[in-house]
Every structure is written in structure tokens, then in C-alpha cells.
Amino acid sequence: MALSNDPNWWRQATIYQIYPRSFADSNGDGLGDLKGVTSRVDYLASLSIDGVWLSPFYPSELADGGYDVADYRNVDPKLGTLADFDEMLAALHDRGIRVFVDIVPNHSSDQHEWFQAALAAAPGSPERDRYIFRDGKGENGELPPSDWPSHFGPSSWTRVTEADGKPGQWYLHLFAPEQPDWNWDNEEVREDFLTTLRFWADRGVDGFRVDVAHALTKDMSEPLPSIKSFDIERQGYQSLRTLFDRDEVHEIYKTWRKVFNEYNPPRVAVAEAWTITERRPLYASPDELGQAFNFDLLGAPWKSKKFKEIIDFNLQLSAQSGSSSTWVLSNHDVVRHASRYGLPKGTNFEHWIITDGEMPRLDVQRGIARAKAATMLLLALPGSTYIYQGEELGLHEVADLPGQVLQDPIWLRDGMTRKGRDGCRVPLPWTRTGSSFGFGSNGAHLPQPEWFGIFSVEAEDGVSGSTLELYRAALKLRRSLQTTETLTWVDSPKKTIHFVREGGWHCFTNFGKKPVAVPAGDVLLSSVPISEGMLPGNASVWLKA
Ligand code: GLC
């Protein structure tokens, strides 16, 4: 299927996120790889998705699942080669599937050539200026320059040993110590990222997912403020803006946009920007990244009122920026939504995982029912939808991974009090049985539980009523039903929501427990069977009227 040159192809696209290390392993080393992705392109095509987004596959020590990039313009030898990448891209393009790669501009890996050069160079050198180095406080510089914690644990500063063997300066890392932050005031850094964008765009990459897009520029003027001044509860959002969401970051994205527009069709991007919602349109504007993730439904409880409010608000926001919204329920950073929806109201998910999924108990079926209903709702909304690998199988979180297998820096750096995100990154089950359920020929880098077999592609393929077949049917239908980027709400009973898109495509979702009457129209698809005109609780239906 030839790809069109339509510059707006992304506006209502469905993008499937691949976490490459956990998708498919072609060489039996337990780690997913690019050839693994290539071997599954027919499966991806069977989903009727418009694109895939690959989480980082670049050379990395895996201090943070690949978000510690040692070389932005290469493939990790554990995952393949650039030739494998080209082959994968061609195979995906052949099937009409576009490709997004992940750009990680806030920090590199400490193994990056430029960070190694910075360590070898003297304080004040041009090499050090590419990162954020500072002298320590205290009589001998033995205290960190500020008391800022890192995202994953105690401090965001690490002290280095200078060439003379003595303890020296400190460098900033908002994430793990293996992820030193770039200095975006440095021209070379800015230029190098433009080179990286062109490198992938020249190879045919269609889009970029931009990691922690709101953090690049920082106010590092002295004296550095104390963490106490970052108290969002007491001081308000502005207090965070020493480190995040600064206006200067938008100058950077304007230069990126110029690069995107050198191509036909222009390359596209989506920002991962954890800002207050009102500032999201800045990142999503057409002269910057073009789209920004809307994670509001991902954090929302299963409540009709809440869903409706979020949908309305985000449609307004995206119209404001000239963008289209992005709908997301899961990704590689959060507890899988089938589990979130199957746990009692108000569950603290971190607590649930640290009890190995024992407390509180998960209602597996209710979780899947709601997840299916939510997916149908999302896919009927104007805008684009991001799907995370495995959700099309109804996969639940693996909450009982033992401490010794955990890879997430959150676990090790936060005193083993939080297990982190490995439970949603367990390699996919392709077959009911066999070595690593068909993921590879020789085990998986994170252990898969026994129950994975019943959620495998093999177990669900062609089975009516399975989550996989519902995704396939909904994604295919959506393509033919998709229209203008607007919706109209229709009055509906309590605990339900109902909207119609232009052309008479209705979506009706029952968030309650009790069955409700299906609205008038021809049923196109439903997340559970409808009997005697009644839609069961936790279900969605699409109608044409
Ligand atoms: C983003 C990624 C996450 C990573 C972090 C640091 O939030 O999604 O996985 O740990 O950035 O790069």
C-alpha cells in the first residue's frame, strides 16, 4: 500500500507504540530486536493501524530502558543494525504503516561520546559546557550545588572524579545519574539535534515522539533555588518553571519545525510534555511540534462525567492550537489500563504493585470489559489515538515481578520502595505455550507469568469476542467512518455518554453496572454482545443513524 503525501495524515491516525526490547526477539537472546519487528509486520498490518512509534532502540546501557542514549544516530548492536532498521522501515512502509522514532533531547547516556569527553576535560572547558556542570557547595565542594531530587531518586546531582583523581565538579541529571542533562544554551548541542532529526528523516522516518519535551531549557542562574520553592501545592505552578516548561524551549521547537518542513510530506512530531493543560497548545502548535500528548484520560477514573469533561476540554485545546488531540490510555510508563480499570476505586497503583498485586484484588474480567469499552470510545473521538503494545490483547499488568528481576531505575534508586514500570514492559505473548510464549526461542528478559498464554495472539486470533478481534474490527471500521474533527453530544441516561460524528457515526458508552437501552440506529460494533436491545454495564456500542 503506497503512503500518501497528504500533509495531514497524522491528524486522525492511530499509532501503535512498540517497546522494541519487549516486542519480538529474532535471535534468541531474550531481548526484542528490530528484525523481530520486521518479522511481525503482517500482524501489525492486520490491526489496521496508521503508524508505529518505536521507543528507543539506540545504543544504550539500559540504565533507563533505552532512554539513556549513547548514540542518537545508530542502532544498539543488541537490537540490530542500521541496515535492519532500513529493512524494517521498508517492510512497514510497504504495508502502509508509518514510523515514528523517539527523540530523547533532555539528557544523553553517560556513555555518550560527548559526556565522556566532558569527563576527560577540565572544568570550564567547551566539552563541559555541553552538559550542566557546577562546582559543589561546602568548604571543599563536597555538597551538591542544590537540593533538587531527581525524578528517580535522591539527588539530581552526581560528583565526578577529575583527571587528577580528585573529587571534582557535579553534573545535573533530572533522571538517573546515567542520564546527564544536556545544556540547551550550547549551540553545538542544538545543531547536533538538528543533525539527528535529519539523519532519521532522510532515512524515511515519518515522525518523532519527543521525550520530556518540556524540560530542555532551565534557569541555572545563581543562586539556585531550593526544592522548597518548587512546592506546587503551596507556591503554584510557576514555582516549577526554573526547570520545566520555560518559554525559551519553544524557540528550539521552532527550529525543529523548519527541519520537518524540509520534507515532503513534512515530518511530524508529538511532544511528551507534562505541563499544565493550558500550556499544552504551545507545544502542539503547527509552527512547533504539531501535537502534544493528552494524558488526561490515562489519569482519569472510570466515570462518565469525568470522561465527558476531559473530552470537551481537550477538543477545545487542540482547536486552539490548530492541532488535533491525542488520546492515550496506556504506555510504557504506567500500569496497564485493563488493570487500572479492574482495581477498586481509589487504588494506589504503586502500593498494589509493591504487594505483588495482592492488595487489593484485581477483578480481571471487569478490567477487560472496561478497557474494551474505553478503547471503542477513544477510537470514535476526533483526533489521533495511541495504542500501547499488548493492550490489543487485553493484557494486564504483571504486578508480581520479584525484586531481583526488576530493571527500572525507580526500584533501585528509590530504596526499593517503588517497583516501577517493568510490569507493563514484560515481553508480549505470541503463542499459548512454548519458550517465552513465542516472543523468542530462548526466554525473555523479564519473566512472563503463566497466565500470559491465554492472552496470547494465538489464543485470541480469529476468536470472536476476543480483545484482539475487537481492536481489529474497530480499527478497520474507524478508517471508513472517520470524518471531520468535531463531535456533537447527544443527551443520554445517567452514567452513560453518547456522541455523534458527522455522517451519523454514534458512540454510546455505559459506565455503570446496569444494562441500558441501546439508542436508535444500526449496530456497527459493540464491545460485548447486545441482547434484547440492552447494552450491558461497562460496555460501548457504535451505531449508524
Ligand atoms: C519519559 C519516558 C520514560 C523515561 C523518561 C526519561 O518520560 O517515557 O520512560 O524514563 O522520559 O527519559
Side-chain angles (χ1 to χ4, degrees), residues 458-529:
E458 183 186 36
E460 297 192 22
D461 189 26
V463 176
S464 112
S466 69
T467 311
L468 177 59
E469 290 307 333
L470 180 73
Y471 268 70
R472 282 181 173 150
L475 283 157
K476 190 163 174 214
L477 254 177
R478 170 186 154 97
R479 276 201 172 152
S480 61
L481 295 168
Q482 201 58 274
T483 77
T484 55
E485 290 175 32
T486 53
L487 61 71
T488 307
W489 294 108
V490 180
D491 282 342
S492 69
K494 257 177 112 177
K495 298 195 180 173
T496 68
I497 66 178
H498 184 177
F499 57 86
V500 57
R501 302 279 302 275
E502 206 166 293
W505 173 21
H506 288 251
C507 176
F508 179 73
T509 302
N510 181 4
F511 286 76
K513 285 191 200 126
K514 295 195 192 122
V516 288
V518 176
D522 296 332
V523 173
L524 298 170
L525 186 70
S526 60
S527 64
V528 285

Coordinates of all heavy atoms in Angstrom, one line a residue, residues 458-529:
E458 N -2.0 -16.0 19.6 CA -2.5 -17.3 19.1 C -3.9 -17.6 19.7 O -4.8 -18.1 19.1 CB -1.5 -18.4 19.4 CG -1.9 -19.7 18.9 CD -1.0 -20.9 19.4 OE1 -0.5 -20.8 20.5 OE2 -0.8 -21.8 18.6
A459 N -4.0 -17.3 21.0 CA -5.2 -17.7 21.7 C -6.4 -16.8 21.3 O -7.6 -17.2 21.4 CB -5.0 -17.6 23.2
E460 N -6.1 -15.6 20.8 CA -7.2 -14.6 20.5 C -7.5 -14.5 19.0 O -8.5 -14.0 18.7 CB -6.8 -13.2 21.1 CG -6.8 -13.3 22.6 CD -6.7 -11.9 23.3 OE1 -7.1 -10.9 22.6 OE2 -6.2 -11.8 24.4
D461 N -6.5 -14.9 18.2 CA -6.6 -14.7 16.8 C -7.8 -15.4 16.2 O -8.0 -16.6 16.4 CB -5.3 -15.2 16.1 CG -5.2 -14.9 14.7 OD1 -5.8 -13.8 14.3 OD2 -4.5 -15.6 13.9
G462 N -8.7 -14.7 15.6 CA -9.9 -15.3 14.9 C -11.0 -15.7 15.9 O -12.0 -16.3 15.5
V463 N -10.8 -15.4 17.2 CA -11.8 -15.8 18.2 C -12.7 -14.6 18.4 O -12.3 -13.6 18.9 CB -11.1 -16.2 19.5 CG1 -12.1 -16.5 20.6 CG2 -10.1 -17.4 19.3
S464 N -14.0 -14.9 18.1 CA -14.9 -13.7 18.2 C -15.1 -13.4 19.7 O -15.2 -14.3 20.5 CB -16.2 -14.1 17.4 OG -17.3 -14.2 18.3
G465 N -15.2 -12.2 20.0 CA -15.3 -11.7 21.4 C -14.0 -11.5 22.0 O -13.9 -10.9 23.1
S466 N -12.9 -11.9 21.4 CA -11.6 -11.6 22.0 C -11.2 -10.1 21.9 O -11.8 -9.4 21.0 CB -10.5 -12.4 21.3 OG -10.2 -12.0 20.0
T467 N -10.4 -9.7 22.8 CA -9.9 -8.2 22.7 C -9.3 -8.0 21.4 O -9.5 -6.9 20.7 CB -9.0 -7.9 23.9 OG1 -9.6 -8.4 25.1 CG2 -8.8 -6.4 24.0
L468 N -8.5 -8.9 20.9 CA -7.7 -8.7 19.6 C -8.7 -8.5 18.5 O -8.6 -7.5 17.7 CB -6.8 -9.9 19.4 CG -6.1 -9.8 18.0 CD1 -5.2 -8.6 17.9 CD2 -5.2 -11.1 17.9
E469 N -9.7 -9.3 18.4 CA -10.7 -9.2 17.3 C -11.5 -7.9 17.4 O -11.9 -7.3 16.4 CB -11.5 -10.4 17.1 CG -10.8 -11.6 16.6 CD -10.0 -11.4 15.3 OE1 -10.3 -10.6 14.5 OE2 -8.9 -12.1 15.2
L470 N -11.8 -7.5 18.6 CA -12.5 -6.2 18.8 C -11.6 -5.0 18.3 O -12.1 -4.2 17.6 CB -12.9 -6.0 20.2 CG -13.6 -4.7 20.4 CD1 -15.1 -4.8 19.9 CD2 -13.7 -4.2 21.9
Y471 N -10.3 -5.0 18.6 CA -9.4 -4.0 18.2 C -9.4 -4.0 16.6 O -9.5 -2.9 16.0 CB -8.0 -4.2 18.7 CG -7.8 -3.4 20.0 CD1 -8.4 -3.8 21.2 CD2 -6.9 -2.3 20.1 CE1 -8.1 -3.1 22.4 CE2 -6.7 -1.6 21.2 CZ -7.3 -2.0 22.4 OH -7.1 -1.4 23.6
R472 N -9.2 -5.2 16.1 CA -9.1 -5.3 14.6 C -10.4 -4.7 13.9 O -10.3 -3.9 13.0 CB -8.9 -6.7 14.2 CG -7.5 -7.2 14.4 CD -7.3 -8.6 13.9 NE -6.0 -9.0 13.9 CZ -5.6 -10.3 14.1 NH1 -6.4 -11.2 14.3 NH2 -4.3 -10.6 14.1
A473 N -11.5 -5.1 14.5 CA -12.8 -4.7 13.8 C -13.0 -3.2 14.0 O -13.3 -2.5 13.1 CB -14.0 -5.4 14.5
A474 N -12.7 -2.7 15.2 CA -12.9 -1.3 15.5 C -11.9 -0.4 14.7 O -12.3 0.6 14.1 CB -12.7 -1.0 17.0
L475 N -10.7 -0.8 14.6 CA -9.7 0.0 13.9 C -10.0 0.0 12.4 O -9.8 1.0 11.7 CB -8.3 -0.6 14.1 CG -7.7 -0.2 15.5 CD1 -6.6 -1.2 15.9 CD2 -7.1 1.2 15.4
K476 N -10.5 -1.1 11.9 CA -10.8 -1.2 10.4 C -12.0 -0.3 10.1 O -12.0 0.5 9.2 CB -11.1 -2.6 10.1 CG -11.2 -2.9 8.6 CD -11.1 -4.3 8.3 CE -11.3 -4.5 6.8 NZ -12.0 -5.8 6.5
L477 N -13.1 -0.5 11.0 CA -14.3 0.3 10.8 C -14.0 1.8 10.9 O -14.5 2.6 10.1 CB -15.3 0.0 11.9 CG -16.5 -0.9 11.5 CD1 -17.3 -1.2 12.8 CD2 -17.4 -0.2 10.5
R478 N -13.2 2.2 11.9 CA -12.9 3.6 12.1 C -12.3 4.2 10.8 O -12.7 5.4 10.5 CB -11.8 3.6 13.2 CG -11.2 5.0 13.5 CD -10.1 4.9 14.5 NE -9.1 5.9 14.4 CZ -9.0 7.0 15.0 NH1 -10.0 7.3 15.9 NH2 -8.1 7.9 14.9
R479 N -11.5 3.5 10.1 CA -11.0 4.1 8.9 C -12.1 4.5 7.9 O -12.0 5.5 7.3 CB -10.1 3.0 8.2 CG -8.7 3.0 8.7 CD -7.8 2.3 7.7 NE -6.4 2.5 8.2 CZ -5.5 1.7 7.9 NH1 -5.7 0.6 7.1 NH2 -4.3 1.9 8.4
S480 N -13.1 3.7 7.8 CA -14.1 4.0 6.9 C -15.1 5.0 7.4 O -15.8 5.7 6.7 CB -14.9 2.8 6.4 OG -15.5 2.2 7.6
L481 N -15.2 5.2 8.8 CA -16.1 6.1 9.4 C -15.6 7.5 9.7 O -16.3 8.4 9.9 CB -16.6 5.5 10.7 CG -17.4 4.2 10.6 CD1 -17.6 3.6 12.0 CD2 -18.8 4.4 10.0
Q482 N -14.3 7.5 9.8 CA -13.6 8.8 10.2 C -14.1 10.0 9.3 O -14.1 9.9 8.1 CB -12.1 8.6 10.0 CG -11.2 9.5 10.8 CD -11.5 9.4 12.3 OE1 -12.4 10.1 12.8 NE2 -10.8 8.6 13.0
T483 N -14.4 11.1 10.0 CA -14.9 12.2 9.3 C -14.2 13.5 9.8 O -13.1 13.4 10.3 CB -16.4 12.4 9.4 OG1 -16.7 12.9 10.6 CG2 -17.1 11.1 9.2
T484 N -14.9 14.6 9.8 CA -14.4 15.9 10.3 C -14.0 15.8 11.8 O -14.5 14.9 12.5 CB -15.4 17.0 10.1 OG1 -16.6 16.6 10.8 CG2 -15.7 17.3 8.7
E485 N -13.2 16.7 12.2 CA -12.7 16.7 13.6 C -13.7 17.3 14.6 O -13.3 18.0 15.5 CB -11.4 17.3 13.7 CG -10.3 16.5 13.0 CD -9.0 17.3 12.9 OE1 -8.6 18.0 13.9 OE2 -8.3 17.1 11.9
T486 N -15.0 17.0 14.5 CA -15.9 17.5 15.5 C -16.8 16.4 16.0 O -16.9 15.3 15.4 CB -16.8 18.6 14.9 OG1 -17.4 18.0 13.7 CG2 -16.0 19.8 14.5
L487 N -17.4 16.6 17.1 CA -18.5 15.7 17.6 C -19.6 16.5 18.2 O -19.5 17.7 18.5 CB -17.9 14.7 18.6 CG -17.4 15.2 19.9 CD1 -18.4 15.7 20.9 CD2 -16.7 14.0 20.6
T488 N -20.8 15.9 18.2 CA -21.9 16.5 18.9 C -22.4 15.6 20.0 O -22.6 14.4 19.8 CB -23.1 16.7 17.8 OG1 -22.5 17.4 16.7 CG2 -24.2 17.5 18.4
W489 N -22.6 16.2 21.2 CA -23.1 15.4 22.3 C -24.6 15.1 22.1 O -25.3 16.0 21.6 CB -22.9 16.1 23.6 CG -21.4 16.2 24.0 CD1 -20.7 17.4 23.9 CD2 -20.5 15.2 24.4 NE1 -19.4 17.1 24.3 CE2 -19.2 15.8 24.6 CE3 -20.6 13.8 24.6 CZ2 -18.1 15.0 25.0 CZ3 -19.5 13.1 25.0 CH2 -18.3 13.7 25.2
V490 N -25.0 13.9 22.5 CA -26.4 13.6 22.5 C -26.8 13.3 23.9 O -26.1 12.7 24.7 CB -26.6 12.3 21.6 CG1 -28.1 11.9 21.6 CG2 -26.1 12.5 20.2
D491 N -28.0 13.8 24.3 CA -28.5 13.6 25.7 C -28.6 12.1 26.0 O -29.0 11.3 25.1 CB -29.9 14.2 25.9 CG -29.7 15.7 26.1 OD1 -28.6 16.1 26.4 OD2 -30.7 16.4 26.0
S492 N -28.2 11.7 27.2 CA -28.2 10.2 27.4 C -28.4 10.0 28.9 O -28.2 10.9 29.7 CB -26.9 9.6 27.0 OG -25.8 10.0 27.8
P493 N -28.9 8.8 29.3 CA -29.1 8.5 30.7 C -27.9 8.7 31.6 O -26.8 8.7 31.1 CB -29.6 7.0 30.7 CG -29.8 6.7 29.3 CD -29.1 7.6 28.4
K494 N -28.1 8.8 32.9 CA -27.0 8.9 33.8 C -26.0 7.8 33.6 O -26.4 6.7 33.3 CB -27.6 8.8 35.3 CG -27.7 10.1 36.0 CD -28.3 9.9 37.3 CE -27.3 10.2 38.4 NZ -27.9 10.0 39.7
K495 N -24.8 8.1 33.9 CA -23.7 7.1 33.8 C -23.4 6.6 32.4 O -22.9 5.5 32.2 CB -23.9 5.9 34.8 CG -23.9 6.3 36.2 CD -23.7 5.2 37.1 CE -23.8 5.7 38.6 NZ -23.8 4.6 39.6
T496 N -23.9 7.3 31.4 CA -23.6 7.0 30.0 C -23.1 8.2 29.3 O -23.4 9.3 29.8 CB -24.8 6.5 29.3 OG1 -25.7 7.5 29.1 CG2 -25.5 5.3 30.0
I497 N -22.4 8.1 28.2 CA -22.1 9.2 27.3 C -22.4 8.8 25.9 O -22.3 7.6 25.5 CB -20.7 9.8 27.5 CG1 -19.6 8.9 27.1 CG2 -20.5 10.3 28.9 CD1 -18.3 9.7 27.2
H498 N -22.8 9.7 25.2 CA -23.3 9.5 23.8 C -22.9 10.7 22.9 O -23.2 11.8 23.3 CB -24.8 9.3 23.8 CG -25.5 9.0 22.5 ND1 -26.8 8.7 22.4 CD2 -24.9 8.8 21.3 CE1 -27.1 8.4 21.1 NE2 -25.9 8.5 20.4
F499 N -22.2 10.4 21.8 CA -21.9 11.5 20.9 C -22.0 11.0 19.5 O -22.0 9.7 19.2 CB -20.5 12.1 21.1 CG -19.4 11.2 21.1 CD1 -18.8 10.8 19.8 CD2 -18.9 10.6 22.2 CE1 -17.7 10.0 19.8 CE2 -17.8 9.7 22.2 CZ -17.2 9.4 21.0
V500 N -22.2 11.9 18.6 CA -22.3 11.5 17.2 C -21.3 12.4 16.3 O -21.1 13.5 16.6 CB -23.7 11.7 16.6 CG1 -24.3 13.1 16.8 CG2 -23.9 11.3 15.2
R501 N -20.7 11.7 15.4 CA -19.7 12.4 14.5 C -20.5 12.6 13.2 O -21.5 12.0 12.9 CB -18.5 11.5 14.2 CG -17.7 11.0 15.4 CD -16.8 12.1 15.9 NE -15.8 12.5 14.8 CZ -14.7 11.9 14.6 NH1 -14.3 10.8 15.3 NH2 -13.8 12.4 13.6
E502 N -19.9 13.6 12.4 CA -20.6 13.9 11.1 C -20.7 12.6 10.3 O -19.9 11.7 10.3 CB -19.7 14.9 10.4 CG -20.5 15.7 9.4 CD -19.7 16.9 9.0 OE1 -19.4 17.8 9.8 OE2 -19.3 16.9 7.8
G503 N -21.9 12.5 9.6 CA -22.1 11.3 8.8 C -22.9 10.2 9.6 O -23.2 9.2 9.1
G504 N -23.3 10.6 10.9 CA -24.1 9.7 11.6 C -23.5 8.5 12.3 O -24.1 7.5 12.6
W505 N -22.2 8.7 12.7 CA -21.5 7.6 13.4 C -21.7 7.9 14.9 O -21.1 8.9 15.4 CB -20.0 7.7 13.0 CG -19.1 6.8 13.8 CD1 -19.4 5.7 14.6 CD2 -17.6 6.9 13.9 NE1 -18.2 5.1 15.1 CE2 -17.2 5.9 14.7 CE3 -16.7 7.8 13.3 CZ2 -15.8 5.7 15.0 CZ3 -15.4 7.6 13.6 CH2 -14.9 6.6 14.4
H506 N -22.4 7.1 15.6 CA -22.7 7.3 17.0 C -21.8 6.4 17.9 O -21.6 5.2 17.6 CB -24.2 6.9 17.3 CG -25.2 7.9 16.8 ND1 -25.9 8.8 17.6 CD2 -25.5 8.1 15.5 CE1 -26.7 9.5 16.8 NE2 -26.5 9.1 15.6
C507 N -21.4 6.9 19.0 CA -20.7 6.1 20.0 C -21.5 6.3 21.3 O -21.7 7.4 21.8 CB -19.3 6.5 20.2 SG -18.4 5.6 21.5
F508 N -21.8 5.2 22.0 CA -22.6 5.2 23.2 C -21.8 4.3 24.2 O -21.6 3.1 23.9 CB -24.0 4.7 22.9 CG -24.9 4.6 24.1 CD1 -25.4 5.8 24.7 CD2 -25.2 3.4 24.7 CE1 -26.2 5.8 25.8 CE2 -26.1 3.4 25.8 CZ -26.6 4.6 26.4
T509 N -21.5 4.9 25.4 CA -20.8 4.1 26.4 C -21.5 4.1 27.7 O -22.0 5.1 28.2 CB -19.4 4.7 26.6 OG1 -18.7 4.7 25.4 CG2 -18.6 3.9 27.6
N510 N -21.6 2.9 28.3 CA -22.3 2.7 29.5 C -21.2 2.5 30.6 O -20.6 1.4 30.7 CB -23.2 1.5 29.4 CG -24.0 1.2 30.7 OD1 -23.9 2.0 31.7 ND2 -24.8 0.1 30.8
F511 N -21.0 3.5 31.4 CA -20.0 3.4 32.5 C -20.6 2.7 33.8 O -19.8 2.3 34.6 CB -19.5 4.8 32.9 CG -18.6 5.5 31.9 CD1 -19.1 6.0 30.7 CD2 -17.3 5.6 32.2 CE1 -18.3 6.6 29.8 CE2 -16.4 6.2 31.2 CZ -16.9 6.7 30.1
G512 N -21.9 2.6 33.8 CA -22.5 2.0 35.0 C -22.4 0.5 35.0 O -21.8 -0.1 34.1
K513 N -23.1 -0.1 36.0 CA -23.2 -1.6 36.1 C -24.4 -2.1 35.4 O -24.4 -3.2 34.9 CB -23.2 -2.0 37.6 CG -21.9 -1.8 38.3 CD -22.0 -2.5 39.7 CE -21.0 -2.0 40.6 NZ -21.5 -1.4 41.9
K514 N -25.5 -1.4 35.5 CA -26.8 -1.9 35.0 C -26.9 -1.7 33.5 O -26.5 -0.7 32.9 CB -27.9 -1.1 35.6 CG -28.0 -1.4 37.1 CD -29.3 -0.9 37.6 CE -29.3 -0.9 39.1 NZ -29.6 0.4 39.7
P515 N -27.6 -2.7 32.8 CA -27.8 -2.5 31.4 C -28.7 -1.3 31.1 O -29.5 -0.9 31.9 CB -28.5 -3.8 31.0 CG -28.3 -4.7 32.1 CD -28.1 -3.9 33.3
V516 N -28.4 -0.7 29.9 CA -29.3 0.4 29.5 C -29.7 0.2 28.0 O -29.0 -0.5 27.3 CB -28.6 1.8 29.6 CG1 -28.4 2.3 31.0 CG2 -27.2 1.8 28.9
A517 N -30.8 0.8 27.7 CA -31.3 0.6 26.3 C -30.3 1.2 25.3 O -29.8 2.3 25.4 CB -32.7 1.3 26.2
V518 N -30.1 0.4 24.2 CA -29.2 0.9 23.1 C -30.0 2.0 22.3 O -31.1 1.8 22.0 CB -28.9 -0.3 22.2 CG1 -28.1 0.2 21.0 CG2 -28.1 -1.3 23.0
P519 N -29.4 3.1 22.1 CA -30.0 4.2 21.3 C -30.4 3.7 19.9 O -29.9 2.6 19.4 CB -29.0 5.3 21.2 CG -28.0 5.0 22.2 CD -28.0 3.5 22.4
A520 N -31.3 4.4 19.2 CA -31.7 4.0 17.9 C -30.6 4.0 16.9 O -29.7 4.8 17.0 CB -32.8 5.0 17.4
G521 N -30.7 3.1 15.9 CA -29.7 3.1 14.9 C -29.2 1.6 14.6 O -29.6 0.7 15.3
D522 N -28.5 1.5 13.5 CA -27.9 0.2 13.2 C -26.7 -0.1 13.9 O -25.7 0.7 13.8 CB -27.6 0.1 11.7 CG -28.9 0.2 10.8 OD1 -30.0 -0.1 11.4 OD2 -28.8 0.7 9.7
V523 N -26.6 -1.2 14.6 CA -25.4 -1.5 15.4 C -24.3 -1.9 14.5 O -24.4 -2.8 13.6 CB -25.7 -2.7 16.4 CG1 -24.4 -3.1 17.1 CG2 -26.7 -2.2 17.5
L524 N -23.2 -1.2 14.6 CA -22.0 -1.5 13.8 C -21.0 -2.4 14.5 O -20.4 -3.3 13.9 CB -21.2 -0.2 13.4 CG -22.0 0.9 12.6 CD1 -21.2 2.2 12.6 CD2 -22.2 0.4 11.2
L525 N -20.9 -2.1 15.8 CA -19.9 -2.9 16.6 C -20.3 -2.7 18.1 O -20.6 -1.6 18.4 CB -18.5 -2.4 16.3 CG -17.4 -3.2 16.9 CD1 -17.2 -4.6 16.3 CD2 -16.0 -2.4 16.7
S526 N -20.1 -3.7 18.9 CA -20.2 -3.5 20.3 C -19.1 -4.2 21.1 O -18.6 -5.2 20.6 CB -21.6 -3.9 20.8 OG -21.8 -5.2 20.5
S527 N -18.8 -3.7 22.2 CA -17.7 -4.3 22.9 C -18.1 -5.6 23.6 O -17.2 -6.4 24.0 CB -17.1 -3.3 24.0 OG -18.0 -3.0 25.0
V528 N -19.4 -5.8 23.8 CA -19.9 -7.1 24.3 C -21.2 -7.3 23.5 O -21.8 -6.4 23.0 CB -20.3 -7.1 25.8 CG1 -19.1 -7.1 26.7 CG2 -21.1 -5.8 26.2
P529 N -21.7 -8.6 23.5 CA -22.9 -8.8 22.8 C -24.1 -8.1 23.4 O -24.2 -7.9 24.6 CB -23.1 -10.4 22.9 CG -21.8 -10.9 23.3 CD -21.1 -9.8 24.1

